[in-house]
Amino acid sequence: MTNLDFNGADRQFDLIPDNTIAPLIMHIKPGGQGEGGWLRPSQTSDAMMLECELTVLEGPFARRKIFQYMVVSGGSLNEKGESKAGNITRSNLRAILESARNIRPDDMSPEAAQKRCCPGGYADFNGICFVAKIGIEKGQNGYNDKNKIKTVITPDMEGYAPIQQQAAPAAAAAPPPAWGAPQQAQGQMPPPQSAASNPVPSWAR
Protein backbone atom coordinates (compact mmCIF):
# COMPACT_ATOMS: atom_id res chain seq x y z
CA MET A 1 0.00 0.00 0.00
CA THR A 2 1.32 3.47 -0.91
CA ASN A 3 2.41 5.58 2.04
CA LEU A 4 0.85 9.05 1.59
CA ASP A 5 3.08 11.69 3.20
CA PHE A 6 1.41 15.03 3.95
CA ASN A 7 4.32 16.62 5.82
CA GLY A 8 5.03 18.85 2.85
CA ALA A 9 1.44 20.07 2.51
CA ASP A 10 0.60 23.65 3.45
CA ARG A 11 -0.64 24.18 6.99
CA GLN A 12 -4.19 25.30 7.64
CA PHE A 13 -4.18 29.01 8.45
CA ASP A 14 -6.44 31.30 10.37
CA LEU A 15 -7.88 34.22 8.43
CA ILE A 16 -5.75 37.31 7.87
CA PRO A 17 -6.90 39.77 10.58
CA ASP A 18 -9.49 42.38 9.67
CA ASN A 19 -8.08 45.75 8.52
CA THR A 20 -4.66 44.34 7.63
CA ILE A 21 -2.95 46.50 4.97
CA ALA A 22 -0.79 44.56 2.54
CA PRO A 23 0.65 44.69 -0.99
CA LEU A 24 -1.09 42.23 -3.33
CA ILE A 25 -0.65 40.84 -6.81
CA MET A 26 -3.82 39.97 -8.72
CA HIS A 27 -4.14 37.16 -11.23
CA ILE A 28 -7.31 36.52 -13.23
CA LYS A 29 -8.41 32.99 -14.12
CA PRO A 30 -9.82 33.18 -17.67
CA GLY A 31 -13.47 32.16 -17.84
CA GLY A 32 -13.71 31.88 -21.61
CA GLN A 33 -16.24 34.68 -22.11
CA GLY A 34 -16.01 38.33 -23.20
CA GLU A 35 -13.18 40.06 -25.03
CA GLY A 36 -10.00 38.08 -24.55
CA GLY A 37 -11.91 35.34 -22.73
CA TRP A 38 -11.28 36.88 -19.31
CA LEU A 39 -14.89 36.83 -18.05
CA ARG A 40 -16.65 33.98 -16.29
CA PRO A 41 -20.45 33.62 -16.44
CA SER A 42 -22.37 33.23 -13.19
CA GLN A 43 -24.11 29.89 -12.71
CA THR A 44 -27.12 31.52 -11.06
CA SER A 45 -27.72 34.76 -13.01
CA ASP A 46 -26.77 36.71 -16.13
CA ALA A 47 -23.78 38.25 -14.33
CA MET A 48 -20.32 38.17 -15.91
CA MET A 49 -17.38 38.17 -13.53
CA LEU A 50 -13.64 38.28 -13.13
CA GLU A 51 -12.37 35.33 -11.10
CA CYS A 52 -9.47 36.81 -9.15
CA GLU A 53 -6.68 35.26 -7.12
CA LEU A 54 -4.88 37.81 -4.93
CA THR A 55 -1.58 36.91 -3.28
CA VAL A 56 0.07 38.87 -0.47
CA LEU A 57 3.54 39.89 -1.65
CA GLU A 58 5.30 40.79 1.60
CA GLY A 59 4.93 41.09 5.33
CA PRO A 60 3.80 38.55 7.96
CA PHE A 61 1.13 37.11 5.64
CA ALA A 62 3.32 36.80 2.53
CA ARG A 63 2.12 34.21 -0.01
CA ARG A 64 -1.34 33.97 1.57
CA LYS A 65 -4.10 34.02 -1.05
CA ILE A 66 -7.53 35.62 -1.32
CA PHE A 67 -10.06 34.42 -3.88
CA GLN A 68 -12.67 36.91 -4.99
CA TYR A 69 -15.16 37.38 -7.82
CA MET A 70 -15.68 40.85 -9.32
CA VAL A 71 -18.95 41.24 -11.25
CA VAL A 72 -18.52 43.47 -14.29
CA SER A 73 -22.03 43.24 -15.79
CA GLY A 74 -25.47 41.77 -15.19
CA GLY A 75 -27.24 41.05 -11.93
CA SER A 76 -29.39 43.67 -10.18
CA LEU A 77 -29.83 46.94 -12.06
CA ASN A 78 -30.17 50.51 -10.80
CA GLU A 79 -32.72 53.07 -11.99
CA LYS A 80 -30.52 53.82 -15.01
CA GLY A 81 -30.47 50.19 -16.07
CA GLU A 82 -26.83 49.77 -15.02
CA SER A 83 -25.44 46.78 -13.18
CA LYS A 84 -25.12 47.71 -9.49
CA ALA A 85 -22.31 45.24 -8.89
CA GLY A 86 -20.69 46.24 -12.17
CA ASN A 87 -20.50 49.87 -11.05
CA ILE A 88 -18.88 48.80 -7.78
CA THR A 89 -16.33 46.72 -9.70
CA ARG A 90 -15.52 49.63 -12.05
CA SER A 91 -14.88 51.82 -9.00
CA ASN A 92 -12.66 49.13 -7.47
CA LEU A 93 -10.73 48.61 -10.72
CA ARG A 94 -10.15 52.35 -10.99
CA ALA A 95 -8.80 52.36 -7.43
CA ILE A 96 -6.55 49.39 -8.24
CA LEU A 97 -5.06 51.32 -11.16
CA GLU A 98 -4.58 54.40 -8.97
CA SER A 99 -2.87 52.32 -6.28
CA ALA A 100 -0.70 50.43 -8.78
CA ARG A 101 0.26 53.49 -10.84
CA ASN A 102 0.55 56.01 -7.99
CA ILE A 103 -2.32 58.27 -9.12
CA ARG A 104 -4.22 60.44 -6.67
CA PRO A 105 -7.99 59.99 -7.15
CA ASP A 106 -8.45 63.77 -7.43
CA ASP A 107 -5.77 64.10 -10.14
CA MET A 108 -7.69 64.89 -13.33
CA SER A 109 -4.65 65.85 -15.40
CA PRO A 110 -4.27 64.38 -18.91
CA GLU A 111 -1.37 62.26 -17.66
CA ALA A 112 -3.45 60.77 -14.84
CA ALA A 113 -6.39 60.18 -17.18
CA GLN A 114 -4.11 58.27 -19.54
CA LYS A 115 -2.83 56.09 -16.70
CA ARG A 116 -6.42 55.10 -15.85
CA CYS A 117 -6.85 53.62 -19.34
CA CYS A 118 -6.24 49.96 -20.13
CA PRO A 119 -5.55 49.46 -23.85
CA GLY A 120 -5.13 45.74 -23.20
CA GLY A 121 -8.56 45.42 -21.61
CA TYR A 122 -8.90 43.17 -18.56
CA ALA A 123 -5.54 41.61 -19.44
CA ASP A 124 -3.92 44.75 -18.01
CA PHE A 125 -5.14 43.69 -14.55
CA ASN A 126 -3.65 40.22 -14.78
CA GLY A 127 -0.47 40.47 -12.71
CA ILE A 128 -1.08 44.02 -11.44
CA CYS A 129 0.28 44.87 -7.97
CA PHE A 130 -1.51 47.22 -5.58
CA VAL A 131 -2.05 47.97 -1.89
CA ALA A 132 -5.25 46.99 -0.11
CA LYS A 133 -6.89 46.75 3.29
CA ILE A 134 -8.05 43.17 3.86
CA GLY A 135 -11.34 42.42 5.57
CA ILE A 136 -13.36 39.37 6.62
CA GLU A 137 -16.61 38.36 4.97
CA LYS A 138 -19.02 36.34 7.09
CA GLY A 139 -19.83 32.95 5.67
CA GLN A 140 -23.36 32.17 4.52
CA ASN A 141 -25.31 29.01 3.73
CA GLY A 142 -22.90 26.79 5.62
CA TYR A 143 -19.72 28.33 4.21
CA ASN A 144 -16.89 29.51 6.48
CA ASP A 145 -15.82 33.12 6.87
CA LYS A 146 -13.26 34.24 4.30
CA ASN A 147 -10.93 37.12 3.58
CA LYS A 148 -11.83 39.74 1.00
CA ILE A 149 -10.56 43.07 -0.27
CA LYS A 150 -12.13 45.64 2.02
CA THR A 151 -10.62 48.81 0.54
CA VAL A 152 -8.05 49.52 -2.13
CA ILE A 153 -5.43 51.88 -0.67
CA THR A 154 -4.74 54.80 -3.01
CA PRO A 155 -2.00 57.49 -2.72
CA ASP A 156 -4.28 59.84 -0.76
CA MET A 157 -4.86 57.30 2.03
CA GLU A 158 -2.94 56.40 5.16
CA GLY A 159 -0.91 53.23 4.73
CA TYR A 160 -0.09 53.79 1.06
CA ALA A 161 3.43 53.42 -0.29
CA PRO A 162 4.40 53.27 -3.99
CA ILE A 163 4.52 49.71 -5.24
CA GLN A 164 6.63 48.25 -8.02
CA GLN A 165 5.00 46.11 -10.66
CA GLN A 166 6.16 42.55 -11.20
CA ALA A 167 8.32 41.60 -14.16
CA ALA A 168 6.70 40.48 -17.39
CA PRO A 169 5.53 36.82 -17.44
CA ALA A 170 8.67 35.77 -19.35
CA ALA A 171 10.75 36.91 -16.36
CA ALA A 172 8.39 35.51 -13.75
CA ALA A 173 11.14 33.34 -12.27
CA ALA A 174 12.89 36.43 -10.90
CA PRO A 175 12.28 37.15 -7.20
CA PRO A 176 9.49 39.68 -6.45
CA PRO A 177 10.72 43.30 -6.23
CA ALA A 178 10.78 44.95 -2.82
CA TRP A 179 7.50 46.69 -2.04
CA GLY A 180 7.47 50.24 -0.77
CA ALA A 181 10.74 51.28 -2.44
CA PRO A 182 10.85 54.88 -3.72
CA GLN A 183 9.89 55.34 -7.35
CA GLN A 184 12.51 56.13 -9.96
CA ALA A 185 12.04 57.82 -13.28
CA GLN A 186 9.15 56.50 -15.36
CA GLY A 187 9.90 53.04 -16.75
CA GLN A 188 13.00 52.44 -14.60
CA MET A 189 13.35 49.86 -11.86
CA PRO A 190 14.95 51.14 -8.64
CA PRO A 191 18.29 49.63 -7.64
CA PRO A 192 18.42 47.03 -4.85
CA GLN A 193 18.32 48.53 -1.37
CA SER A 194 19.36 47.26 2.00
CA ALA A 195 16.70 46.48 4.57
CA ALA A 196 17.82 49.52 6.57
CA SER A 197 17.35 51.97 3.71
CA ASN A 198 14.14 50.49 2.30
CA PRO A 199 11.15 52.51 3.65
CA VAL A 200 8.81 49.53 3.93
CA PRO A 201 5.91 50.24 6.34
CA SER A 202 6.43 48.88 9.84
CA TRP A 203 3.76 46.18 9.36
CA ALA A 204 5.80 44.66 6.54
CA ARG A 205 9.21 44.62 8.22
Side-chain angles (χ1 to χ4, degrees):
M1 182 178 294
T2 302
N3 178 29
L4 300 178
D5 186 353
F6 294 97
N7 284 292
D10 291 337
R11 294 181 301 155
Q12 179 173 284
F13 288 103
D14 292 330
L15 293 176
I16 297 173
D18 192 34
N19 293 324
T20 296
I21 296 178
L24 304 172
I25 183 170
M26 180 166 79
H27 288 104
I28 302 172
K29 183 178 180 180
Q33 299 292 318
E35 184 177 352
W38 291 104
L39 300 181
R40 179 171 300 280
S42 169
Q43 296 182 352
T44 58
S45 73
D46 65 342
M48 301 294 288
M49 309 173 291
L50 296 171
E51 184 177 354
C52 303
E53 176 187 286
L54 303 121
T55 306
V56 179
L57 288 172
E58 291 191 8
F61 303 102
R63 296 183 295 280
R64 295 282 296 277
K65 295 182 182 295
I66 299 170
F67 300 93
Q68 189 164 327
Y69 289 102
M70 296 186 182
V71 176
V72 301
S73 65
S76 299
L77 304 178
N78 61 19
E79 64 280 358
K80 297 180 181 179
E82 302 166 334
S83 168
K84 293 180 180 178
N87 284 343
I88 293 172
T89 293
R90 283 181 57 83
S91 177
N92 288 337
L93 292 179
R94 169 179 169 157
I96 287 172
L97 289 174
E98 290 171 341
S99 179
R101 299 175 178 178
N102 198 8
I103 314 166
R104 289 186 61 88
D106 58 356
D107 186 350
M108 295 291 109
S109 67
E111 293 78 12
Q114 182 63 34
K115 288 181 180 180
R116 293 191 187 96
C117 293
C118 295
Y122 293 119
D124 288 0
F125 290 93
N126 189 42
I128 198 168
C129 302
F130 63 99
V131 189
K133 180 181 291 185
I134 298 170
I136 296 175
E137 182 179 281
K138 290 294 183 181
Q140 299 179 2
N141 301 320
Y143 288 96
N144 294 328
D145 296 351
K146 64 179 183 179
N147 284 124
K148 67 172 186 177
I149 300 304
K150 190 172 190 177
T151 308
V152 177
I153 304 298
T154 50
D156 60 320
M157 301 172 67
E158 183 178 355
Y160 179 80
I163 184 168
Q164 292 178 282
Q165 297 306 302
Q166 294 276 4
W179 179 76
Q183 296 291 293
Q184 299 284 311
Q186 183 69 24
Q188 295 182 1
M189 297 292 286
Q193 294 181 311
S194 67
S197 63
N198 189 7
V200 176
S202 58
W203 55 265
R205 292 175 185 165

